[in-house]
Every structure is written in C-alpha cells, then in structure tokens.
Amino acid sequence: MAVFHSTLIVDKQADPKPDSDFWLDGELGSFGCESSAESALRVLSVKVRRNPLDLLAHLRRIHFCFRNRLPAALYGALLDLLLVLEGKGEALARRLLNACRSGLDKRHCHILFELGRHDPQQIGNRYSLFTGGLQGRSKLVLQIEAPIAPSHDPLTLASDFIEYSQLDQAMDVLESAVGVDPERTELQRALLELYRSTGSRERFEHARRSFAELAIPLADDWQALADIFQRQAS
C-alpha cells in the first residue's frame, strides 16, 4: 500500500523522512530520547530484552536501525528476532531479510540467510541480545505462511500479529490503515472481525466515533456489528 507501508519493507533504501506514528515508540519521549539518538536505540533494545515475545518491539527496533542506517545495530536486531523465532515464521523472516538487505553488509547478510549453519554464540555483536541463549521462552509463532511481498500490506502485517496472538497490535495496524485508506473495504472487514471475535465492544465504539468525527466513510458492516454488540448487552 503506497501510503501506509514503512520503508522497512522495500528493497531500496529510501531517503530519511519522518516515520509514521505506528513505527515510532511512544515511550521514547518519556525517556527524553530523540528519535535519532543512540539513547533511543538503547531504549528499544531494553524493550525487546524485557519482552522477547513482543513482535512489535522487534519490528520497531529493526525499523529504527534501518531508517537510521545503522548496519551493525540492524544486524543485531535481526539476529535477535531470528533467534527468538527458532526457525519458525519463515515467511516473515525472509520478508524482513529481503527488505533489510540494502542496510546490511554482505557478511552479515550471508550469516542471517544461513543462520542454521552457525553457532549463535560465535556470530553475535555488541548489539545482539540473545546470542548467549534465552531462558523461559514460550513458543513465539506456530506458522506464518503469508507470501513474500515487495511491500508490507497492512493485512499481511496484521496477519503476522494475529499469528503471534498479539491481537491488540493487529487492531492497531488495521485501525491506522482504515484511517489512511478507508476505500479498502477488506481492511474494514478484517478489523470488524477482530472486534467481533475478541468481543472488543468499547474499542469498536471508540474507533467508530473517531472515524465518524474524521468523516471517514464506513461500510454498512459497522452498523451490523453495533447491532450485535447491542443485542449482547441487552
């Protein structure tokens, strides 16, 4: 999608420009970090270490490194995600590696694409967090079979989050995407299905009001779901 997708998901390195709010970590400001500061990278890394199963934290760290042309830090961030995946989520991993190829040196790129042939303890750098192992890790992802694409469509990204059981992040993605491209009815249908399946009535009502205030056209399915929630409440 031309407007929504991040430059993280294109093979060609783009000129730096302001990131969309989705890819920025809202907590950075509370730490007094500028988006381009080394301290921001430390905060993003701490958030990954604190919760290694948080896909969004990994993606934001990777995106930050890519956009700021930090090849060593980008390698460390990608390596950490691949180690946590433990060989699963192959389609997601390959999309990321192909997208970030231009931001990596050839040696690091080769290691990441052939990770199974290397001892993790021998390939880390000062930015990698998990080359020494990660204790207490639960299964991060069962299967991600979305096709490799040159751009990261919000439906694909939301599907990735759903596979990780990170449903709030999936709703974040789809809500942002509906705001940007309301004419894509499949985005609205996917978002409504998440609201319905999770019983997220309050979030649904908040989003509906917000979209109405912004004069964003909504499909008839929104009223249908509102009626369902109303019947459930009565």
Side-chain angles (χ1 to χ4, degrees), residues 213-231:
E213 291 170 359
L214 295 171
I216 291 174
L218 297 177
D220 294 341
D221 293 342
W222 287 78
Q223 182 59 52
L225 183 56
D227 294 341
I228 291 173
F229 280 140
Q230 182 63 38
R231 288 196 297 270

Side-chain angles (χ1 to χ4, degrees), residues 61-104:
R61 180 185 175 208
I62 291 167
H63 178 261
F64 179 89
C65 297
F66 182 84
R67 286 301 304 272
N68 288 278
R69 295 183 171 91
L70 303 172
L74 177 62
Y75 168 73
L78 287 165
L79 178 59
D80 285 336
L81 178 57
L82 295 182
L83 291 174
V84 172
L85 284 171
E86 293 184 313
K88 302 178 179 65
E90 182 178 351
L92 171 63
R94 189 160 295 276
R95 284 201 306 274
L96 285 172
L97 292 180
N98 283 328
C100 294
R101 186 191 296 265
S102 64
L104 296 164

Side-chain angles (χ1 to χ4, degrees), residues 112-155:
L112 292 172
F113 273 98
E114 302 290 339
L115 188 61
R117 300 183 179 184
H118 298 275
D119 178 357
Q121 296 187 13
Q122 303 298 319
I123 57 175
N125 66 7
R126 71 186 186 93
Y127 294 100
S128 54
L129 305 175
F130 304 132
T131 49
L134 180 62
Q135 301 299 319
R137 178 170 57 212
S138 62
K139 188 175 293 185
L140 182 61
V141 56
L142 295 176
Q143 187 177 23
I144 298 177
E145 295 295 348
I148 299 171
S151 65
H152 213 321
D153 184 85
L155 282 175

Side-chain angles (χ1 to χ4, degrees), residues 25-41:
D25 191 304
E27 292 186 14
L28 293 181
S30 64
F31 286 90
C33 299
E34 297 294 333
S35 61
S36 60
E38 181 72 19
S39 55
L41 178 57

Side-chain angles (χ1 to χ4, degrees), residues 154-173:
L155 282 175
T156 303
L157 183 56
S159 177
D160 290 340
F161 282 126
I162 291 169
E163 291 288 353
Y164 280 76
S165 298
Q166 295 182 6
L167 303 183
D168 286 339
Q169 288 91 335
M171 285 187 274
D172 287 341
V173 170

Side-chain angles (χ1 to χ4, degrees), residues 13-25:
Q13 182 94 15
D15 292 332
K17 59 182 178 181
D19 292 297
S20 69
D21 290 341
F22 176 76
W23 293 109
L24 296 176
D25 191 304

